Every structure is written in C-alpha cells, then in structure tokens.
Amino acid sequence: MRGPRQKEILTLIKAIELKKSIDLIDSDDTSLSICSGENPMENTLHMLGDIRQFCSEQEQEHIDMILNIFSMFSTYETMFS
C-alpha cells in the first residue's frame, strides 16, 4: 500500500501490536517483564513520552494519538471494572 495514509495505518497497527504485547505480559506470570515490580503499561507510556522529543512533528502527532488510545483504554478499564 502506498499513499499518504500508509504511515497512519502502520502506526495504528503497531499500536495494536503493542497493546496486545502488553496484555500478553500482564496475563502471563512466568514471562519476563520490562521492569520487575512496576506497571508495564506505565513504563510503555513513559517510553513513548521520552522518545517523542526526538521525533518529527508528524511522528509526534502519531505518538500523541497512541498515548490517547492507551488513555482511552485505561479510562474504559477503570469505568467498567
């Protein structure tokens, strides 16, 4: 696929993959974690925030979109749990 929407679609796919990876880490007690004893989702959000400063304006917008998606997931989880 080529065109202006390609990067947005790829970013969304990567965000979904990242969410599934985090869910997998959370669901398996025997797996390795990013940092023991800390919330993997929080680590991921901090990592995205940290790398944002090194990105282009368009990439920063993508990271903002990903952070908003994770924030939305967190809000829904809090509301419906």
Side-chain angles (χ1 to χ4, degrees), residues 2 4-5 12 15 17-19 21 24 30 34 38-40 42 57 59-60 64 74 79-80:
R2 298 275 182 220
R5 307 281 315 180
L12 183 58
E17 288 176 0
L18 182 59
K19 173 71 172 127
S21 296
L24 179 64
T30 61
I34 296 171
E38 295 184 26
N39 182 352
E42 188 176 311
E57 186 175 316
E59 291 168 334
Q60 288 178 356
D64 291 341
S74 177
M79 288 174 55
F80 298 110

Side-chain angles (χ1 to χ4, degrees), residues 14-70:
K14 290 297 181 185
I16 292 168
E17 288 176 0
L18 182 59
K19 173 71 172 127
K20 287 184 178 185
S21 296
I22 291 169
D23 290 342
L24 179 64
I25 290 169
D26 288 341
S27 69
D28 186 6
D29 293 336
T30 61
S31 68
L32 297 175
S33 64
I34 296 171
C35 292
S36 61
E38 295 184 26
N39 182 352
M41 176 62 84
E42 188 176 311
N43 291 334
T44 302
L45 297 177
H46 287 294
M47 179 191 67
L48 286 171
D50 289 343
I51 65 171
R52 187 181 182 280
Q53 64 182 329
F54 301 105
C55 298
S56 68
E57 186 175 316
Q58 186 177 12
E59 291 168 334
Q60 288 178 356
E61 289 175 8
H62 291 193
I63 289 175
D64 291 341
M65 180 181 68
I66 292 168
L67 291 172
N68 287 334
I69 289 169
F70 282 125

